[in-house]
Amino acid sequence: RVGEAGRALLEERARIGTASTVVILQHYPGMCMRDAFLAAVPPARRGAVRVLCAYGHVHDQRCDGRDPVTGTCNSVLTGGGGGCCAEEGGVAGFTAVHLEDDGGFTVDVESPQVRLKPGQCDWAAAR
């Protein structure tokens, strides 16, 4: 029931929303409902709405998918914020999303400006 309720809410937001950029956040990778959201967007707004999916769970940072037209990263694994599990070998860092005047966005998930150097962030060492 929770999944059905979440999908219904997502589709309702697609129908009534006016934003040109939408961010869908969830904890687990592979569960972004981008297609369901875009299918529910009214025909007059189709093609004008861009969706960025962001998720964590895995303690790593990377771009998992790009828009086929613009090449912009639109699926972001951003689970390395705390550098929590350095022994797992994941990349610690953060994601920066820049909203643009034309309604689009750019994403920085892999540059030195958002990634921490190995060993730089280890919450276990700070205890």
Side-chain angles (χ1 to χ4, degrees):
R1 288 191 228 181
V2 173
E4 291 171 16
R7 185 182 183 105
L9 180 61
L10 186 84
E11 290 171 348
E12 177 67 11
R13 292 302 305 164
R15 284 191 289 279
I16 67 172
T18 60
S20 58
T21 299
V22 175
V23 179
I24 300 175
L25 300 170
Q26 68 275 340
H27 181 81
Y28 294 105
M31 299 184 74
C32 181
M33 292 192 284
R34 178 195 328 267
D35 293 340
F37 182 90
L38 291 173
V41 168
R45 296 192 63 234
R46 291 201 180 137
V49 179
R50 297 175 183 149
V51 177
L52 169 64
C53 294
Y55 40 87
H57 185 68
V58 179
H59 297 273
D60 206 351
Q61 289 288 116
R62 68 175 176 262
C63 176
D64 278 345
R66 297 189 176 275
D67 181 286
V69 175
T70 67
T72 300
C73 180
N74 63 8
S75 293
V76 177
L77 170 62
T78 184
C84 114
C85 305
E87 65 276 1
E88 291 179 12
V91 175
F94 303 88
T95 298
V97 177
H98 305 275
L99 301 178
E100 299 175 344
D101 291 338
D102 68 357
F105 59 88
T106 60
V107 175
D108 184 0
V109 68
E110 299 173 322
S111 80
Q113 285 78 27
V114 296
R115 282 193 169 178
L116 300 175
K117 295 175 183 160
Q120 186 178 3
C121 181
D122 184 358
W123 67 271
R127 288 188 211 179

